[in-house]
Amino acid sequence: MLLRLRVSLRQVVNQMARRPALLCGAIVLSCSLILAITFTCSETKQVVFPAQPPTRFFSPDSPVVDLYLGQLDEAESLRSASEVSLLYFYAPWCGQSISARGEIEQVARKLADQVQFVAVNCWWNQGKCRKQNNFYHYPVIYLYHRRFGPIEYNGPITAAYVEKFIRRVITPLQYVPSRAGLQDFLSHYEPGVLGYFEFNASPQPPGYLTFLTSALQALRRDFQGVMRFGVITSKQVAKAISLDAPGTVYMHRHFNTSLTFPSHVLNFTSENICRWALEHREWLVRWLRPHGGKSRALEQELRKGAALLIFLPFDPMAPSQPLVEEVAEIAVQYHSCNGSSWPGFMEPEVWGEPGSLSRAPCCNTLALPHWLSVSRTHNVCELCLDQALGPRPCPSLDSLYLREDFFTQPLSGKVQCSHVLSSSSPLDYYTACCWSLSKGSSTQQDRRSVLPHIEDRGSASAHSAVKGLKCRTNKTLNFYLLDSGLHWEFARRLGAPENASMMGFATVLNLQDEVHHVLNQEQGIVRNTLESFIQNYSTPYSPLQRHLVGEAAREPVGESLITAVTTQTFHKAVMDPEKDVLLFYYTQWCGFCSALNHVIIQLARLSLSNPRLAVCRINAAKNDLPWEFMVDRYPTILFFPSDRKHLSVKYPEDAPITLPNLVRFIQRHSSPLLLLLFGSPPREGTAAAEAISTRQQGRHTPGRVREQRHTPAGIPL
């Protein structure tokens, strides 16, 4: 090896000695290369210029403290010094951060005396915020209530919604001072949790701070704040819902049994109270607030079953919401399976005057069976329940058993009453009044004037078309509300007219059964029309027609080779009895469809000389059609002969889609007049005939079409 190296070096030296110019050139080239590399490396530090320091994001006169250099330490200092604070993390280049800046500043000018607003630039690479936090989206809004936090806000970044959420954080507990306030709290359609604490002995009774923290925990888990928390300080008000011991937490439910927190089973901590409340809450109407980005939140709700989506204008800061309350009342009637009523829609005399809750008896008249010994002197008894538990739905008395041992003393023919104690009932006692009733007697009418009956109390809502409909049909609906001001684009894609105002829209969606119905926009969102809409959907053979979502029809610009068909123009273009129509189904995401465009265009050019043949195409992803004309794969070609539209033919799936094959397909199934253009169809047994599949596909008719499932076009998931 060394010998070979020596020989090679000797040969190189000999060549250099013979050609000194080559030696000098190599030396100069090497020096130039070394100098170039050295110069380049020395200047690399000046190639990348440092980023310019950031500037203020908020105006100097804004109430928002702008830490545009990412001073996270100063932000923490400001947060710890204030009772309630809002931290707004932004990136200066982010469009959403820029658009939300005005909304945050508007809220800050209204709540600057109650909340500390701090904005932090979390994109500046030399700032501490960027080094310690890895946010994957901007802006990020954190709220802190004293030492509790952060509570991230993920709702719509508008001034009204942000202000509403901040006020919920400022006062997470609603004070219930009287029984009138208790009625208002319990009558709300949103779930509510009440805590009873006595402030006489201590300004902070045991368990109060834990209950306050549980309310903040609920806001952290659910930014919409649908779970309401209230505090009762009066012993008389607490007795109305049977709360005797201070520190008791009570969950009110409209149809299921109301609950108290099982402190003997679970530790009395904020996490346990929040988890217990969220697990046992009762939903009547849910708010949907999709953020508009990539998310499956809407799809997850629609997968739960049939959904009634109602778009209404909503102002979070309005003191009352009449439309929302009307929809909530309809939802209550829909879920009222046992005939019970909702305290929010009871008559005022049930609750009595403020500060004095009256106990309205709950009665039912029973005919005594003939085998009962009491029936010898009395044949009718009126059984009442004294509602000692206060404002609770009156239960049905049809299943109560009137035992003979209730009446141990002989009764006369006069009206006799007795109080029957019951140890097995959560109520205090029954009141039984018995009398004799003969044919044509007015005793029953007289008794009805004394005691109110269940059917009398619910007379105001007894005629509701949807009362108890949930338990009388297999088509159960889930009620959802959406703010039309924020999500009207969803309403348009679900069938709302393009030129309609954002006042109201209702639709029923059932993805599993592929049902899509739309309430007539001209009728509006009123109680009668909405109840009729729900009732028509719930009937076994619904008279509602399936709503077809399609693109708006466009006026053709000049003459077009291929006719673009939509939902509205399908029958006019395809079912024309004077033309044979070849319909090409495609979607914008189908790559094979795009590859066949040149074939369809060539066929359209070939058919220009014959007005009886039309080549059409339809974007099936954006245009719904009646079930008999839907397909389950793309691309698909259907042929509709002029003289037999009901016998449409599907192009064979196993045959290549080429121009010769399409021409043969049209020749085989076209009307006789069209054969003058393309000539006679190929004879059986020839090579041309074998190019087409010998087994024809089944006729594409309503009676023989196979079941083809699809998701209705235009539904945002």
Side-chain angles (χ1 to χ4, degrees), residues 79-116:
R79 181 187 66 80
S80 59
S82 58
E83 185 170 346
V84 178
S85 58
L86 181 144
L87 268 63
Y88 180 77
F89 300 98
Y90 66 89
W93 52 265
C94 176
Q96 294 181 354
S97 300
I98 297 174
S99 61
R101 174 176 52 187
E103 306 292 334
I104 297 297
E105 190 168 357
Q106 179 180 347
V107 178
R109 296 187 183 279
K110 296 178 62 176
L111 302 177
D113 56 338
Q114 305 178 56
V115 182
Q116 176 68 61

Side-chain angles (χ1 to χ4, degrees), residues 287 316 348 515 594 645:
W287 278 97
V515 172
S594 302
K645 295 291 184 180

Side-chain angles (χ1 to χ4, degrees), residues 553-564:
R554 299 178 181 178
E555 294 294 333
V557 180
E559 295 186 359
S560 177
L561 291 175
I562 303 176
T563 304

